[in-house]
Amino acid sequence: MPKPPISNLEYSEKELASFFYLADEMFGIDFRDWYRAGEWTERYRCYSLTFYRNIISNVGMSRMTLMTDGTAREAYQIGTVMTDEDRQGLGLATRIFKHVFKQHDADGLPYFLACDEGVEPFYEQQGFSVQLEPELFVSVSGSAGPLERVDVDAEQWRRFKLESLPFSPRLYATDDMHIWMFHYYQGMNKDVYRFDDVHVIYLIEGTRLKLFAVLSSRPVDMRDVVARLSFEGITEIVFEFTPELDGVEQRPSRDGQWMIRMNEEQLFPEGCRFPSLSKA
């Protein structure tokens, strides 16, 4: 009889090391600094199949609270779905999903995950369905001056989450500090800038500016943010969250789609974008 999956609570040092190795091999993601900093909390649970104490397949899940148009709802976000390259196609991840659902369906919570293009059929076999998510953007033409880049340590990054108002009031997550800190250890703290008492996180890709967060303990007019970020050569600002701003345009997302497993058909409000800094 095949061995059942184990949780990360049962990992030995060897299994933990093999988890780090497999994540690096599959996604180029290094979990070690995040783990050593104590950010792998009870909110993030992994279920893994092992072979001689080496992890060969894994499904991770984060329990969090979604705020959708002012309504709180707990949910499980699935992430770190990975199988050793030599063992793909053997149904290992499906075995883990069956175990996860057996363990957690009684909670009555929806599951959701970010799905790369082309693998939707696999998740549909696990009972998920596609929920389309738009890319949100505004076209700009300006010559705003450069902003001051800010060096941010882990404690300041944490305070941003704790002390700032939700920058995506229609759709955001709470109880997701472990994911917020994960993005810190993946280098997003190098992309923090400031104007007045407001901090913004953005990346520039050619003529596109991708805005990830607007951080302030006071309400901020998003029109002012757009004006401040309309640098020379930038033709559009793409929002990695749902901004409170008139005139935002929509188009099909370039980042794959969300998939959900729940009794109802809709988890996120229509036309909203889930904040990328809460994405596992």
Side-chain angles (χ1 to χ4, degrees), residues 36-72:
R36 290 172 187 145
E39 302 298 347
W40 189 331
T41 71
E42 72 280 357
R43 285 278 169 180
Y44 178 58
R45 180 69 55 85
C46 281
Y47 293 94
S48 309
L49 290 173
T50 62
F51 183 73
Y52 289 102
R53 293 196 175 276
N54 289 307
I55 289 175
I56 58 175
S57 188
N58 183 81
V59 173
M61 56 188 292
S62 292
R63 184 164 179 159
M64 61 183 59
T65 302
L66 301 183
M67 298 298 299
T68 58
D69 286 333
T71 299

PDB file of all heavy atoms in Angstrom, residues 36-72:
ATOM      1  N   ARG A  36      14.615  30.275   7.935  1.00  0.00           N
ATOM      2  CA  ARG A  36      15.515  30.564   9.054  1.00  0.00           C
ATOM      3  C   ARG A  36      15.051  31.770   9.859  1.00  0.00           C
ATOM      4  O   ARG A  36      15.324  31.874  11.055  1.00  0.00           O
ATOM      5  CB  ARG A  36      16.930  30.787   8.523  1.00  0.00           C
ATOM      6  CG  ARG A  36      17.604  29.530   7.990  1.00  0.00           C
ATOM      7  CD  ARG A  36      18.895  29.868   7.308  1.00  0.00           C
ATOM      8  NE  ARG A  36      19.486  28.716   6.644  1.00  0.00           N
ATOM      9  CZ  ARG A  36      20.159  28.778   5.508  1.00  0.00           C
ATOM     10  NH1 ARG A  36      20.335  29.941   4.894  1.00  0.00           N
ATOM     11  NH2 ARG A  36      20.662  27.673   4.971  1.00  0.00           N
ATOM     12  N   ALA A  37      14.345  32.688   9.198  1.00  0.00           N
ATOM     13  CA  ALA A  37      13.842  33.869   9.894  1.00  0.00           C
ATOM     14  C   ALA A  37      12.579  33.572  10.702  1.00  0.00           C
ATOM     15  O   ALA A  37      12.024  34.468  11.352  1.00  0.00           O
ATOM     16  CB  ALA A  37      13.562  34.987   8.892  1.00  0.00           C
ATOM     17  N   GLY A  38      12.116  32.325  10.672  1.00  0.00           N
ATOM     18  CA  GLY A  38      10.938  31.946  11.449  1.00  0.00           C
ATOM     19  C   GLY A  38       9.618  32.313  10.806  1.00  0.00           C
ATOM     20  O   GLY A  38       8.582  32.357  11.485  1.00  0.00           O
ATOM     21  N   GLU A  39       9.617  32.539   9.491  1.00  0.00           N
ATOM     22  CA  GLU A  39       8.388  32.969   8.815  1.00  0.00           C
ATOM     23  C   GLU A  39       7.529  31.810   8.319  1.00  0.00           C
ATOM     24  O   GLU A  39       6.415  32.029   7.859  1.00  0.00           O
ATOM     25  CB  GLU A  39       8.752  33.894   7.644  1.00  0.00           C
ATOM     26  CG  GLU A  39       9.540  35.135   8.039  1.00  0.00           C
ATOM     27  CD  GLU A  39       8.798  36.061   8.984  1.00  0.00           C
ATOM     28  OE1 GLU A  39       7.573  35.890   9.158  1.00  0.00           O
ATOM     29  OE2 GLU A  39       9.438  36.959   9.558  1.00  0.00           O
ATOM     30  N   TRP A  40       8.061  30.583   8.381  1.00  0.00           N
ATOM     31  CA  TRP A  40       7.243  29.412   8.051  1.00  0.00           C
ATOM     32  C   TRP A  40       6.397  29.120   9.277  1.00  0.00           C
ATOM     33  O   TRP A  40       6.806  28.415  10.195  1.00  0.00           O
ATOM     34  CB  TRP A  40       8.113  28.229   7.676  1.00  0.00           C
ATOM     35  CG  TRP A  40       7.345  27.055   7.114  1.00  0.00           C
ATOM     36  CD1 TRP A  40       6.059  26.698   7.391  1.00  0.00           C
ATOM     37  CD2 TRP A  40       7.844  26.091   6.173  1.00  0.00           C
ATOM     38  NE1 TRP A  40       5.706  25.576   6.695  1.00  0.00           N
ATOM     39  CE2 TRP A  40       6.778  25.170   5.933  1.00  0.00           C
ATOM     40  CE3 TRP A  40       9.056  25.905   5.529  1.00  0.00           C
ATOM     41  CZ2 TRP A  40       6.927  24.083   5.076  1.00  0.00           C
ATOM     42  CZ3 TRP A  40       9.188  24.819   4.667  1.00  0.00           C
ATOM     43  CH2 TRP A  40       8.144  23.918   4.434  1.00  0.00           C
ATOM     44  N   THR A  41       5.192  29.674   9.291  1.00  0.00           N
ATOM     45  CA  THR A  41       4.314  29.580  10.453  1.00  0.00           C
ATOM     46  C   THR A  41       3.260  28.498  10.239  1.00  0.00           C
ATOM     47  O   THR A  41       3.208  27.834   9.197  1.00  0.00           O
ATOM     48  CB  THR A  41       3.617  30.922  10.702  1.00  0.00           C
ATOM     49  OG1 THR A  41       2.646  31.152   9.657  1.00  0.00           O
ATOM     50  CG2 THR A  41       4.637  32.070  10.724  1.00  0.00           C
ATOM     51  N   GLU A  42       2.398  28.353  11.242  1.00  0.00           N
ATOM     52  CA  GLU A  42       1.324  27.366  11.133  1.00  0.00           C
ATOM     53  C   GLU A  42       0.334  27.716  10.031  1.00  0.00           C
ATOM     54  O   GLU A  42      -0.503  26.885   9.651  1.00  0.00           O
ATOM     55  CB  GLU A  42       0.594  27.232  12.482  1.00  0.00           C
ATOM     56  CG  GLU A  42      -0.280  28.398  12.882  1.00  0.00           C
ATOM     57  CD  GLU A  42       0.498  29.562  13.473  1.00  0.00           C
ATOM     58  OE1 GLU A  42       1.738  29.445  13.629  1.00  0.00           O
ATOM     59  OE2 GLU A  42      -0.128  30.603  13.759  1.00  0.00           O
ATOM     60  N   ARG A  43       0.414  28.935   9.511  1.00  0.00           N
ATOM     61  CA  ARG A  43      -0.491  29.325   8.419  1.00  0.00           C
ATOM     62  C   ARG A  43      -0.124  28.646   7.097  1.00  0.00           C
ATOM     63  O   ARG A  43      -0.929  28.641   6.160  1.00  0.00           O
ATOM     64  CB  ARG A  43      -0.460  30.841   8.237  1.00  0.00           C
ATOM     65  CG  ARG A  43      -1.220  31.611   9.306  1.00  0.00           C
ATOM     66  CD  ARG A  43      -2.695  31.648   8.994  1.00  0.00           C
ATOM     67  NE  ARG A  43      -3.500  32.136  10.098  1.00  0.00           N
ATOM     68  CZ  ARG A  43      -4.818  32.248  10.048  1.00  0.00           C
ATOM     69  NH1 ARG A  43      -5.471  31.916   8.967  1.00  0.00           N
ATOM     70  NH2 ARG A  43      -5.487  32.696  11.083  1.00  0.00           N
ATOM     71  N   TYR A  44       1.110  28.139   6.989  1.00  0.00           N
ATOM     72  CA  TYR A  44       1.565  27.492   5.757  1.00  0.00           C
ATOM     73  C   TYR A  44       1.822  26.023   6.042  1.00  0.00           C
ATOM     74  O   TYR A  44       2.712  25.679   6.812  1.00  0.00           O
ATOM     75  CB  TYR A  44       2.837  28.170   5.240  1.00  0.00           C
ATOM     76  CG  TYR A  44       3.415  27.540   3.985  1.00  0.00           C
ATOM     77  CD1 TYR A  44       2.659  27.448   2.824  1.00  0.00           C
ATOM     78  CD2 TYR A  44       4.720  27.042   3.974  1.00  0.00           C
ATOM     79  CE1 TYR A  44       3.189  26.884   1.678  1.00  0.00           C
ATOM     80  CE2 TYR A  44       5.256  26.481   2.820  1.00  0.00           C
ATOM     81  CZ  TYR A  44       4.481  26.401   1.687  1.00  0.00           C
ATOM     82  OH  TYR A  44       5.010  25.828   0.550  1.00  0.00           O
ATOM     83  N   ARG A  45       1.048  25.147   5.434  1.00  0.00           N
ATOM     84  CA  ARG A  45       1.171  23.712   5.650  1.00  0.00           C
ATOM     85  C   ARG A  45       1.502  23.037   4.311  1.00  0.00           C
ATOM     86  O   ARG A  45       0.878  23.319   3.291  1.00  0.00           O
ATOM     87  CB  ARG A  45      -0.141  23.148   6.201  1.00  0.00           C
ATOM     88  CG  ARG A  45      -0.145  21.658   6.458  1.00  0.00           C
ATOM     89  CD  ARG A  45       0.763  21.280   7.616  1.00  0.00           C
ATOM     90  NE  ARG A  45       0.442  22.011   8.826  1.00  0.00           N
ATOM     91  CZ  ARG A  45      -0.510  21.640   9.699  1.00  0.00           C
ATOM     92  NH1 ARG A  45      -1.245  20.567   9.471  1.00  0.00           N
ATOM     93  NH2 ARG A  45      -0.716  22.361  10.788  1.00  0.00           N
ATOM     94  N   CYS A  46       2.484  22.156   4.351  1.00  0.00           N
ATOM     95  CA  CYS A  46       2.827  21.375   3.162  1.00  0.00           C
ATOM     96  C   CYS A  46       2.453  19.917   3.399  1.00  0.00           C
ATOM     97  O   CYS A  46       2.579  19.398   4.517  1.00  0.00           O
ATOM     98  CB  CYS A  46       4.318  21.476   2.858  1.00  0.00           C
ATOM     99  SG  CYS A  46       4.786  22.991   2.024  1.00  0.00           S
ATOM    100  N   TYR A  47       2.017  19.261   2.334  1.00  0.00           N
ATOM    101  CA  TYR A  47       1.793  17.823   2.324  1.00  0.00           C
ATOM    102  C   TYR A  47       2.682  17.238   1.231  1.00  0.00           C
ATOM    103  O   TYR A  47       2.646  17.695   0.080  1.00  0.00           O
ATOM    104  CB  TYR A  47       0.328  17.501   2.081  1.00  0.00           C
ATOM    105  CG  TYR A  47      -0.559  17.933   3.229  1.00  0.00           C
ATOM    106  CD1 TYR A  47      -1.185  19.176   3.219  1.00  0.00           C
ATOM    107  CD2 TYR A  47      -0.746  17.112   4.339  1.00  0.00           C
ATOM    108  CE1 TYR A  47      -1.985  19.574   4.284  1.00  0.00           C
ATOM    109  CE2 TYR A  47      -1.551  17.501   5.403  1.00  0.00           C
ATOM    110  CZ  TYR A  47      -2.157  18.738   5.365  1.00  0.00           C
ATOM    111  OH  TYR A  47      -2.939  19.142   6.430  1.00  0.00           O
ATOM    112  N   SER A  48       3.464  16.218   1.607  1.00  0.00           N
ATOM    113  CA  SER A  48       4.524  15.746   0.727  1.00  0.00           C
ATOM    114  C   SER A  48       4.559  14.224   0.677  1.00  0.00           C
ATOM    115  O   SER A  48       4.347  13.543   1.697  1.00  0.00           O
ATOM    116  CB  SER A  48       5.892  16.243   1.215  1.00  0.00           C
ATOM    117  OG  SER A  48       5.889  17.628   1.446  1.00  0.00           O
ATOM    118  N   LEU A  49       4.871  13.716  -0.513  1.00  0.00           N
ATOM    119  CA  LEU A  49       5.215  12.306  -0.671  1.00  0.00           C
ATOM    120  C   LEU A  49       6.735  12.194  -0.675  1.00  0.00           C
ATOM    121  O   LEU A  49       7.425  13.042  -1.258  1.00  0.00           O
ATOM    122  CB  LEU A  49       4.642  11.750  -1.965  1.00  0.00           C
ATOM    123  CG  LEU A  49       3.115  11.586  -2.000  1.00  0.00           C
ATOM    124  CD1 LEU A  49       2.660  11.198  -3.392  1.00  0.00           C
ATOM    125  CD2 LEU A  49       2.650  10.550  -0.974  1.00  0.00           C
ATOM    126  N   THR A  50       7.249  11.151  -0.024  1.00  0.00           N
ATOM    127  CA  THR A  50       8.691  10.999   0.114  1.00  0.00           C
ATOM    128  C   THR A  50       9.152   9.635  -0.397  1.00  0.00           C
ATOM    129  O   THR A  50       8.370   8.674  -0.464  1.00  0.00           O
ATOM    130  CB  THR A  50       9.127  11.143   1.581  1.00  0.00           C
ATOM    131  OG1 THR A  50       8.528  10.108   2.366  1.00  0.00           O
ATOM    132  CG2 THR A  50       8.711  12.507   2.133  1.00  0.00           C
ATOM    133  N   PHE A  51      10.430   9.595  -0.730  1.00  0.00           N
ATOM    134  CA  PHE A  51      11.087   8.354  -1.121  1.00  0.00           C
ATOM    135  C   PHE A  51      12.459   8.361  -0.471  1.00  0.00           C
ATOM    136  O   PHE A  51      13.301   9.206  -0.802  1.00  0.00           O
ATOM    137  CB  PHE A  51      11.207   8.266  -2.652  1.00  0.00           C
ATOM    138  CG  PHE A  51      11.798   6.984  -3.156  1.00  0.00           C
ATOM    139  CD1 PHE A  51      11.079   5.807  -3.118  1.00  0.00           C
ATOM    140  CD2 PHE A  51      13.097   6.962  -3.670  1.00  0.00           C
ATOM    141  CE1 PHE A  51      11.622   4.622  -3.586  1.00  0.00           C
ATOM    142  CE2 PHE A  51      13.640   5.785  -4.142  1.00  0.00           C
ATOM    143  CZ  PHE A  51      12.907   4.606  -4.100  1.00  0.00           C
ATOM    144  N   TYR A  52      12.653   7.454   0.487  1.00  0.00           N
ATOM    145  CA  TYR A  52      13.886   7.450   1.278  1.00  0.00           C
ATOM    146  C   TYR A  52      14.177   8.845   1.853  1.00  0.00           C
ATOM    147  O   TYR A  52      15.271   9.367   1.756  1.00  0.00           O
ATOM    148  CB  TYR A  52      15.065   6.939   0.455  1.00  0.00           C
ATOM    149  CG  TYR A  52      14.987   5.463   0.168  1.00  0.00           C
ATOM    150  CD1 TYR A  52      14.576   5.005  -1.075  1.00  0.00           C
ATOM    151  CD2 TYR A  52      15.306   4.533   1.159  1.00  0.00           C
ATOM    152  CE1 TYR A  52      14.497   3.641  -1.343  1.00  0.00           C
ATOM    153  CE2 TYR A  52      15.225   3.164   0.894  1.00  0.00           C
ATOM    154  CZ  TYR A  52      14.825   2.725  -0.359  1.00  0.00           C
ATOM    155  OH  TYR A  52      14.736   1.368  -0.609  1.00  0.00           O
ATOM    156  N   ARG A  53      13.154   9.440   2.437  1.00  0.00           N
ATOM    157  CA  ARG A  53      13.224  10.744   3.110  1.00  0.00           C
ATOM    158  C   ARG A  53      13.526  11.908   2.167  1.00  0.00           C
ATOM    159  O   ARG A  53      13.816  13.013   2.611  1.00  0.00           O
ATOM    160  CB  ARG A  53      14.221  10.718   4.274  1.00  0.00           C
ATOM    161  CG  ARG A  53      13.785   9.823   5.432  1.00  0.00           C
ATOM    162  CD  ARG A  53      14.558  10.119   6.695  1.00  0.00           C
ATOM    163  NE  ARG A  53      14.055   9.329   7.822  1.00  0.00           N
ATOM    164  CZ  ARG A  53      13.021   9.646   8.581  1.00  0.00           C
ATOM    165  NH1 ARG A  53      12.367  10.766   8.316  1.00  0.00           N
ATOM    166  NH2 ARG A  53      12.631   8.887   9.581  1.00  0.00           N
ATOM    167  N   ASN A  54      13.430  11.681   0.874  1.00  0.00           N
ATOM    168  CA  ASN A  54      13.519  12.769  -0.095  1.00  0.00           C
ATOM    169  C   ASN A  54      12.118  13.099  -0.585  1.00  0.00           C
ATOM    170  O   ASN A  54      11.343  12.193  -0.942  1.00  0.00           O
ATOM    171  CB  ASN A  54      14.394  12.382  -1.284  1.00  0.00           C
ATOM    172  CG  ASN A  54      15.848  12.299  -0.909  1.00  0.00           C
ATOM    173  OD1 ASN A  54      16.399  13.246  -0.350  1.00  0.00           O
ATOM    174  ND2 ASN A  54      16.479  11.172  -1.196  1.00  0.00           N
ATOM    175  N   ILE A  55      11.769  14.363  -0.599  1.00  0.00           N
ATOM    176  CA  ILE A  55      10.447  14.766  -1.075  1.00  0.00           C
ATOM    177  C   ILE A  55      10.417  14.652  -2.590  1.00  0.00           C
ATOM    178  O   ILE A  55      11.259  15.215  -3.294  1.00  0.00           O
ATOM    179  CB  ILE A  55      10.130  16.197  -0.612  1.00  0.00           C
ATOM    180  CG1 ILE A  55       9.891  16.201   0.903  1.00  0.00           C
ATOM    181  CG2 ILE A  55       8.910  16.755  -1.343  1.00  0.00           C
ATOM    182  CD1 ILE A  55       9.682  17.559   1.500  1.00  0.00           C
ATOM    183  N   ILE A  56       9.423  13.919  -3.087  1.00  0.00           N
ATOM    184  CA  ILE A  56       9.303  13.723  -4.527  1.00  0.00           C
ATOM    185  C   ILE A  56       8.081  14.433  -5.102  1.00  0.00           C
ATOM    186  O   ILE A  56       7.995  14.635  -6.316  1.00  0.00           O
ATOM    187  CB  ILE A  56       9.267  12.225  -4.880  1.00  0.00           C
ATOM    188  CG1 ILE A  56       8.115  11.518  -4.165  1.00  0.00           C
ATOM    189  CG2 ILE A  56      10.607  11.571  -4.527  1.00  0.00           C
ATOM    190  CD1 ILE A  56       7.940  10.049  -4.571  1.00  0.00           C
ATOM    191  N   SER A  57       7.135  14.812  -4.249  1.00  0.00           N
ATOM    192  CA  SER A  57       5.968  15.568  -4.712  1.00  0.00           C
ATOM    193  C   SER A  57       5.406  16.334  -3.531  1.00  0.00           C
ATOM    194  O   SER A  57       5.473  15.862  -2.385  1.00  0.00           O
ATOM    195  CB  SER A  57       4.906  14.639  -5.299  1.00  0.00           C
ATOM    196  OG  SER A  57       3.860  15.378  -5.924  1.00  0.00           O
ATOM    197  N   ASN A  58       4.849  17.512  -3.795  1.00  0.00           N
ATOM    198  CA  ASN A  58       4.410  18.388  -2.710  1.00  0.00           C
ATOM    199  C   ASN A  58       3.228  19.246  -3.141  1.00  0.00           C
ATOM    200  O   ASN A  58       3.135  19.675  -4.293  1.00  0.00           O
ATOM    201  CB  ASN A  58       5.563  19.303  -2.290  1.00  0.00           C
ATOM    202  CG  ASN A  58       5.216  20.192  -1.120  1.00  0.00           C
ATOM    203  OD1 ASN A  58       5.263  19.768   0.025  1.00  0.00           O
ATOM    204  ND2 ASN A  58       4.849  21.437  -1.408  1.00  0.00           N
ATOM    205  N   VAL A  59       2.343  19.516  -2.184  1.00  0.00           N
ATOM    206  CA  VAL A  59       1.276  20.510  -2.331  1.00  0.00           C
ATOM    207  C   VAL A  59       1.283  21.358  -1.067  1.00  0.00           C
ATOM    208  O   VAL A  59       1.189  20.817   0.045  1.00  0.00           O
ATOM    209  CB  VAL A  59      -0.105  19.861  -2.533  1.00  0.00           C
ATOM    210  CG1 VAL A  59      -1.206  20.924  -2.501  1.00  0.00           C
ATOM    211  CG2 VAL A  59      -0.155  19.081  -3.838  1.00  0.00           C
ATOM    212  N   GLY A  60       1.428  22.661  -1.222  1.00  0.00           N
ATOM    213  CA  GLY A  60       1.396  23.577  -0.082  1.00  0.00           C
ATOM    214  C   GLY A  60       0.071  24.308  -0.010  1.00  0.00           C
ATOM    215  O   GLY A  60      -0.617  24.474  -1.024  1.00  0.00           O
ATOM    216  N   MET A  61      -0.303  24.747   1.183  1.00  0.00           N
ATOM    217  CA  MET A  61      -1.540  25.495   1.333  1.00  0.00           C
ATOM    218  C   MET A  61      -1.399  26.498   2.465  1.00  0.00           C
ATOM    219  O   MET A  61      -0.790  26.224   3.504  1.00  0.00           O
ATOM    220  CB  MET A  61      -2.729  24.567   1.567  1.00  0.00           C
ATOM    221  CG  MET A  61      -2.600  23.632   2.745  1.00  0.00           C
ATOM    222  SD  MET A  61      -3.930  22.410   2.812  1.00  0.00           S
ATOM    223  CE  MET A  61      -5.340  23.451   3.185  1.00  0.00           C
ATOM    224  N   SER A  62      -1.931  27.679   2.240  1.00  0.00           N
ATOM    225  CA  SER A  62      -1.903  28.761   3.215  1.00  0.00           C
ATOM    226  C   SER A  62      -3.332  29.126   3.591  1.00  0.00           C
ATOM    227  O   SER A  62      -4.144  29.428   2.705  1.00  0.00           O
ATOM    228  CB  SER A  62      -1.198  29.997   2.639  1.00  0.00           C
ATOM    229  OG  SER A  62       0.180  29.756   2.439  1.00  0.00           O
ATOM    230  N   ARG A  63      -3.620  29.099   4.877  1.00  0.00           N
ATOM    231  CA  ARG A  63      -4.939  29.526   5.337  1.00  0.00           C
ATOM    232  C   ARG A  63      -4.889  31.028   5.592  1.00  0.00           C
ATOM    233  O   ARG A  63      -3.988  31.529   6.264  1.00  0.00           O
ATOM    234  CB  ARG A  63      -5.334  28.788   6.603  1.00  0.00           C
ATOM    235  CG  ARG A  63      -6.741  29.119   7.087  1.00  0.00           C
ATOM    236  CD  ARG A  63      -7.225  28.106   8.094  1.00  0.00           C
ATOM    237  NE  ARG A  63      -8.561  28.432   8.592  1.00  0.00           N
ATOM    238  CZ  ARG A  63      -9.394  27.555   9.151  1.00  0.00           C
ATOM    239  NH1 ARG A  63      -9.026  26.292   9.276  1.00  0.00           N
ATOM    240  NH2 ARG A  63     -10.586  27.921   9.577  1.00  0.00           N
ATOM    241  N   MET A  64      -5.852  31.759   5.042  1.00  0.00           N
ATOM    242  CA  MET A  64      -5.878  33.211   5.168  1.00  0.00           C
ATOM    243  C   MET A  64      -7.312  33.697   5.135  1.00  0.00           C
ATOM    244  O   MET A  64      -8.249  32.931   4.855  1.00  0.00           O
ATOM    245  CB  MET A  64      -5.074  33.858   4.030  1.00  0.00           C
ATOM    246  CG  MET A  64      -5.595  33.554   2.651  1.00  0.00           C
ATOM    247  SD  MET A  64      -4.540  34.282   1.344  1.00  0.00           S
ATOM    248  CE  MET A  64      -2.973  33.493   1.716  1.00  0.00           C
ATOM    249  N   THR A  65      -7.473  34.974   5.400  1.00  0.00           N
ATOM    250  CA  THR A  65      -8.788  35.603   5.348  1.00  0.00           C
ATOM    251  C   THR A  65      -8.831  36.537   4.153  1.00  0.00           C
ATOM    252  O   THR A  65      -7.975  37.407   4.004  1.00  0.00           O
ATOM    253  CB  THR A  65      -9.079  36.397   6.636  1.00  0.00           C
ATOM    254  OG1 THR A  65      -8.998  35.521   7.757  1.00  0.00           O
ATOM    255  CG2 THR A  65     -10.466  37.024   6.586  1.00  0.00           C
ATOM    256  N   LEU A  66      -9.811  36.339   3.280  1.00  0.00           N
ATOM    257  CA  LEU A  66     -10.029  37.220   2.143  1.00  0.00           C
ATOM    258  C   LEU A  66     -11.061  38.273   2.528  1.00  0.00           C
ATOM    259  O   LEU A  66     -12.106  37.958   3.114  1.00  0.00           O
ATOM    260  CB  LEU A  66     -10.532  36.437   0.933  1.00  0.00           C
ATOM    261  CG  LEU A  66      -9.647  35.314   0.409  1.00  0.00           C
ATOM    262  CD1 LEU A  66     -10.275  34.698  -0.841  1.00  0.00           C
ATOM    263  CD2 LEU A  66      -8.245  35.804   0.107  1.00  0.00           C
ATOM    264  N   MET A  67     -10.772  39.515   2.173  1.00  0.00           N
ATOM    265  CA  MET A  67     -11.734  40.600   2.340  1.00  0.00           C
ATOM    266  C   MET A  67     -12.219  40.984   0.953  1.00  0.00           C
ATOM    267  O   MET A  67     -11.449  41.468   0.121  1.00  0.00           O
ATOM    268  CB  MET A  67     -11.064  41.785   3.022  1.00  0.00           C
ATOM    269  CG  MET A  67     -10.539  41.492   4.419  1.00  0.00           C
ATOM    270  SD  MET A  67     -11.825  41.020   5.608  1.00  0.00           S
ATOM    271  CE  MET A  67     -12.851  42.495   5.601  1.00  0.00           C
ATOM    272  N   THR A  68     -13.479  40.727   0.682  1.00  0.00           N
ATOM    273  CA  THR A  68     -14.063  41.011  -0.626  1.00  0.00           C
ATOM    274  C   THR A  68     -15.235  41.953  -0.448  1.00  0.00           C
ATOM    275  O   THR A  68     -16.262  41.583   0.117  1.00  0.00           O
ATOM    276  CB  THR A  68     -14.523  39.717  -1.329  1.00  0.00           C
ATOM    277  OG1 THR A  68     -15.466  39.034  -0.501  1.00  0.00           O
ATOM    278  CG2 THR A  68     -13.343  38.792  -1.581  1.00  0.00           C
ATOM    279  N   ASP A  69     -15.049  43.197  -0.911  1.00  0.00           N
ATOM    280  CA  ASP A  69     -16.081  44.225  -0.779  1.00  0.00           C
ATOM    281  C   ASP A  69     -16.592  44.317   0.656  1.00  0.00           C
ATOM    282  O   ASP A  69     -17.795  44.424   0.927  1.00  0.00           O
ATOM    283  CB  ASP A  69     -17.236  43.958  -1.746  1.00  0.00           C
ATOM    284  CG  ASP A  69     -16.858  44.282  -3.188  1.00  0.00           C
ATOM    285  OD1 ASP A  69     -15.985  45.142  -3.401  1.00  0.00           O
ATOM    286  OD2 ASP A  69     -17.425  43.651  -4.106  1.00  0.00           O
ATOM    287  N   GLY A  70     -15.657  44.247   1.608  1.00  0.00           N
ATOM    288  CA  GLY A  70     -15.986  44.433   3.013  1.00  0.00           C
ATOM    289  C   GLY A  70     -16.419  43.193   3.752  1.00  0.00           C
ATOM    290  O   GLY A  70     -16.670  43.249   4.958  1.00  0.00           O
ATOM    291  N   THR A  71     -16.502  42.065   3.077  1.00  0.00           N
ATOM    292  CA  THR A  71     -16.913  40.815   3.705  1.00  0.00           C
ATOM    293  C   THR A  71     -15.701  39.916   3.915  1.00  0.00           C
ATOM    294  O   THR A  71     -14.924  39.685   2.982  1.00  0.00           O
ATOM    295  CB  THR A  71     -17.952  40.087   2.837  1.00  0.00           C
ATOM    296  OG1 THR A  71     -19.107  40.918   2.684  1.00  0.00           O
ATOM    297  CG2 THR A  71     -18.369  38.772   3.478  1.00  0.00           C
ATOM    298  N   ALA A  72     -15.541  39.411   5.134  1.00  0.00           N
ATOM    299  CA  ALA A  72     -14.414  38.532   5.455  1.00  0.00           C
ATOM    300  C   ALA A  72     -14.804  37.080   5.213  1.00  0.00           C
ATOM    301  O   ALA A  72     -15.915  36.643   5.535  1.00  0.00           O
ATOM    302  CB  ALA A  72     -13.999  38.726   6.914  1.00  0.00           C
TER     303      ALA A  72
END
